[in-house]
Amino acid sequence: MTAAEKFLFNRIKWVSFYRVIIAFFSLILIIYWKSKIEVVEQTGIFFQILIFIFILTILYAWLIRSNKNLRLIATFQVLVDLIIISLIVSYTGGIDSPLIFFYAFVIMEGGRFFGKNGAHIAMAMTVLFLGFVFFAQFNKYFPFNNLVYQRVYYFKEDFYYNFSVFSLGFLLLGLLVGYLSHETTKMHQEIIEQEARYYDLEFLKSAIVNSLNSGLIVFSKNGDITYANDTAKNLLKQVNDKFFNFIGNSFKDEILEVNKNSKIVRGEKKIPIDNKIYWIGYSIVPLYDHNRLPIGVLLNFQDITNIKNMEEQLRIKDKFSFMGKLSAFLAHEIRNPLASLKGGVEYIGEIKNLDEDHKKIIDIMTREIDRLNKIVTDFLYFTKISKPEKTNIYIKNLLDEIWFEIKMMNKDENRFQFFYDGRDDIILKGDPNQMRQVFLNLIINAIDAMKKNGGSGIYVKTFLDKDEIVITVEDEGGGIQEENINKIFDPFFSTKENGTGIGLSIVYRIIQEHDGDITVSNGERGAKFTLRFKNE
């Protein structure tokens, strides 16, 4: 249905409704007053007209349902209304009828349906039909030949006078309705064009806003979210359903600052959700109405978590690259002299008659040389990690073996417990020796943390996430300080008193060689390491 057809359809519908209302109340009044004036014999015809109008309205409603031939239906309605009104005028006295003004309804109807020209044509038809009524009454043609209660004789001048007056009135009314219909149609067309331009602008604005890679969220002055573009909705849904409600509180201080100072605020922010850290790059801009009064703020943001993770990986890889260059120096310039030193110290230790102080010094020197040698050994192992020889590894079996080995190493510590949550048949494609090294390091670190900070449980969970195998290792050791989380995989970084800072770097390097990923966060109990591998 075109806009013009829809416009005409609505007007036909409303005119039909008003016709029934006017006919019902008018005819009820006519019947009432005619019965009071003893013209009871004529009331039957008014009931017939009323029923006919209702039937016609039902017919019109059925015809316009198909939305076809609407102009023909509208024309038919105007003609039928002229006939009905002419009959009503005839049966209510013709020239003496108090209802001649009903013809005004036809003129307004024509203007309503067909605009200015329709009003003029309806006005001409009204004058013509009124002339037919007066002519029939003067000559006592149908229906006046059957009417008893009317004046016996009319002067010709009476008809000329009344016809002239009513014709002039209908002429003025037709011109007025035509003008108003023209102006109404013109205004309606302008409104349609304005709406079309508005919707075009809205569509263009929406297309531009939704094509941005950044999420846009509008906050009212009260802090309520009033708008979010598609990118924002998709980003928030991908991150977490809770994020949409959480983000307003996360930027509450920044939004208050923008509302207070009317200045743009930019920055990056870490937002923890479900024990996972999300990095958000954002800018917050004040919004104003056409009177330059503040109405809220616009939050423009992007999820830059992946970028931050890549930056972190690049930073660690730069350190690994430096360690690779350093390894050759350590192998030749440190390890060989260490062997000589250790041999010399052991030779001195075999000399007889050494007092206790000298023996203690030699023991300390031997231990420190061994510790330094271990650092070099770990360092060289780290730089020479080979390409993994992948086979099928049953994760549950590997973890059981490692836990048994650790229990044998810590027989004096019976308080530690190992809890596994996951299927027994999950298989990881990896190098068994290297993966053993990974889990051994993580579990030993967990035990060391709980020896220092308390706790006794180590919780390992394994599950499938789409096309990935996810393994989490969590302890009850109190977690990692926030400022140390980003440095935890750095070579030589350690919070242990005698730690070398190489163990977790080796773990990170092995995971990378397996095309996996490892992240660390603070869980509900303590430090939580999350490992992800492709489910090959």
Side-chain angles (χ1 to χ4, degrees), residues 515-532:
D515 298 321
D517 180 58
I518 181 170
T519 57
V520 62
S521 61
N522 286 318
E524 296 178 0
R525 305 177 182 92
K528 181 178 181 180
F529 290 85
T530 303
L531 291 70
R532 293 180 177 270

Side-chain angles (χ1 to χ4, degrees), residues 268-518:
E268 297 174 351
K269 195 165 191 176
K270 287 194 298 183
I271 299 180
I273 299 178
D274 291 342
N275 300 319
K276 187 174 181 181
I277 299 297
Y278 293 93
W279 276 94
I280 302 297
Y282 68 90
S283 62
I284 303 177
V285 182
L287 296 178
Y288 304 93
D289 62 11
H290 62 284
N291 294 319
R292 297 297 297 170
L293 296 174
I295 58 174
V297 299
L298 171 67
L299 170 63
N300 180 355
F301 73 95
Q302 282 186 316
D303 180 8
I304 59 172
T305 306
N306 291 334
I307 296 174
K308 284 291 184 180
N309 290 338
M310 290 172 63
E311 290 177 352
E312 183 65 18
Q313 291 175 8
L314 287 173
R315 186 182 67 81
I316 295 174
K317 285 181 178 179
D318 286 343
K319 291 192 175 184
F320 289 167
S321 175
F322 170 74
M323 289 177 64
K325 295 176 183 178
L326 190 62
S327 63
F329 171 78
L330 288 175
H332 296 93
E333 302 300 330
I334 296 180
R335 200 169 193 185
N336 292 337
L338 276 179
S340 300
L341 281 172
K342 186 174 181 181
V345 170
E346 288 176 347
Y347 176 78
I348 295 173
E350 293 175 357
I351 298 176
K352 296 180 180 180
N353 301 324
L354 287 175
D355 58 31
E356 290 301 319
D357 290 340
H358 288 94
K359 287 181 180 180
K360 287 181 180 179
I361 291 172
I362 290 172
D363 288 340
I364 291 171
M365 291 176 66
T366 302
R367 286 198 306 272
E368 292 301 312
I369 290 172
D370 288 340
R371 191 170 74 87
L372 186 57
N373 188 58
K374 184 179 183 303
I375 293 174
V376 175
T377 301
D378 289 343
F379 188 78
L380 292 176
Y381 173 80
F382 169 79
T383 57
K384 293 179 180 179
I385 292 175
S386 59
K387 201 72 177 174
E389 297 179 4
K390 293 185 178 181
T391 61
N392 289 339
I393 302 173
Y394 283 89
I395 299 173
K396 175 66 164 57
N397 294 344
L398 177 62
L399 290 169
D400 285 342
E401 291 174 8
I402 292 172
W403 181 243
F404 179 79
E405 180 182 336
I406 290 174
K407 280 192 355 183
M408 293 299 102
M409 293 166 52
N410 295 272
K411 288 184 178 181
D412 296 336
E413 294 283 353
N414 294 324
R415 65 187 177 94
F416 299 114
Q417 293 179 298
F418 178 82
F419 301 96
Y420 178 80
D421 179 13
R423 285 163 40 187
D424 294 351
D425 59 346
I426 295 180
I427 297 175
L428 172 67
K429 285 277 189 179
D431 188 306
N433 293 324
Q434 292 183 1
M435 294 311 300
R436 176 182 289 274
Q437 182 74 17
V438 167
F439 291 113
L440 194 62
N441 266 297
L442 293 177
I443 294 175
I444 288 175
N445 282 349
I447 290 174
D448 289 343
M450 290 188 292
K451 285 180 179 179
K452 179 181 179 181
N453 302 319
S456 60
I458 299 171
Y459 302 85
V460 178
K461 184 176 181 180
T462 305
F463 59 92
L464 298 178
D465 182 16
K466 296 179 182 177
D467 57 347
E468 289 185 325
I469 297 174
V470 182
I471 306 169
T472 63
V473 181
E474 185 176 359
D475 59 50
E476 295 179 341
I480 304 168
Q481 292 183 359
E482 193 66 30
E483 63 269 18
N484 293 333
I485 284 182
N486 291 335
K487 299 181 285 185
I488 203 71
F489 297 114
D490 287 0
F492 305 117
F493 176 80
S494 177
T495 58
K496 298 179 185 178
E497 187 175 345
N498 295 316
T500 63
I502 299 295
L504 286 178
S505 298
I506 292 173
V507 168
Y508 184 90
R509 180 73 180 276
I510 292 174
I511 299 298
Q512 293 293 309
E513 290 295 330
H514 281 75
D515 298 321
D517 180 58
I518 181 170

Side-chain angles (χ1 to χ4, degrees), residues 96-272:
D96 297 321
S97 174
L99 301 178
I100 295 178
F101 72 90
F102 268 20
Y103 281 113
F105 177 81
V106 176
I107 297 174
M108 290 186 287
E109 184 180 16
R112 189 73 174 163
F113 287 159
F114 305 111
K116 181 179 180 182
N117 294 333
H120 293 168
I121 294 173
M123 176 266 297
M125 294 293 293
T126 296
V127 173
L128 182 62
F129 270 73
L130 181 63
F132 286 153
V133 170
F134 284 1
F135 179 78
Q137 186 176 14
F138 181 75
N139 293 285
K140 292 188 170 48
Y141 293 147
F142 177 83
F144 295 97
N145 58 337
N146 295 320
L147 296 180
V148 178
Y149 293 96
Q150 59 176 326
R151 281 192 289 170
V152 177
Y153 182 78
Y154 294 90
F155 291 101
K156 186 183 295 185
E157 289 76 8
D158 293 336
F159 289 100
Y160 288 152
Y161 173 77
N162 283 278
F163 181 75
S164 300
V165 170
F166 281 116
S167 295
L168 179 62
F170 291 147
L171 173 64
L172 294 175
L173 179 63
L175 293 174
L176 177 62
V177 171
Y179 171 76
L180 293 176
S181 298
H182 174 71
E183 291 298 315
T184 302
T185 304
K186 182 179 176 182
M187 290 177 61
H188 179 75
Q189 189 62 34
E190 289 177 354
I191 290 172
I192 291 175
E193 293 174 358
Q194 291 287 346
E195 285 182 346
R197 283 195 290 269
Y198 171 78
Y199 286 125
D200 287 342
L201 288 174
E202 281 293 308
F203 180 80
L204 178 62
K205 182 197 77 172
S206 178
I208 293 172
V209 169
N210 289 325
S211 66
L212 297 174
N213 290 327
S214 300
L216 299 178
I217 298 179
V218 176
F219 293 89
S220 67
K221 291 181 68 176
N222 298 326
D224 299 324
I225 295 176
T226 59
Y227 173 79
N229 70 343
D230 289 347
T231 306
K233 293 174 183 176
N234 292 333
L235 283 172
L236 302 181
K237 189 173 182 181
Q238 288 172 9
V239 173
N240 194 295
D241 291 337
K242 300 177 183 177
F243 195 85
F244 204 81
N245 297 322
F246 187 68
I247 192 168
N249 294 328
S250 299
F251 290 94
K252 185 176 181 180
D253 294 338
E254 290 81 359
I255 291 173
L256 288 174
E257 181 182 349
V258 172
N259 282 327
K260 182 179 179 180
N261 301 322
S262 298
K263 293 182 179 179
I264 298 174
V265 175
R266 293 185 175 90
E268 297 174 351
K269 195 165 191 176
K270 287 194 298 183
I271 299 180

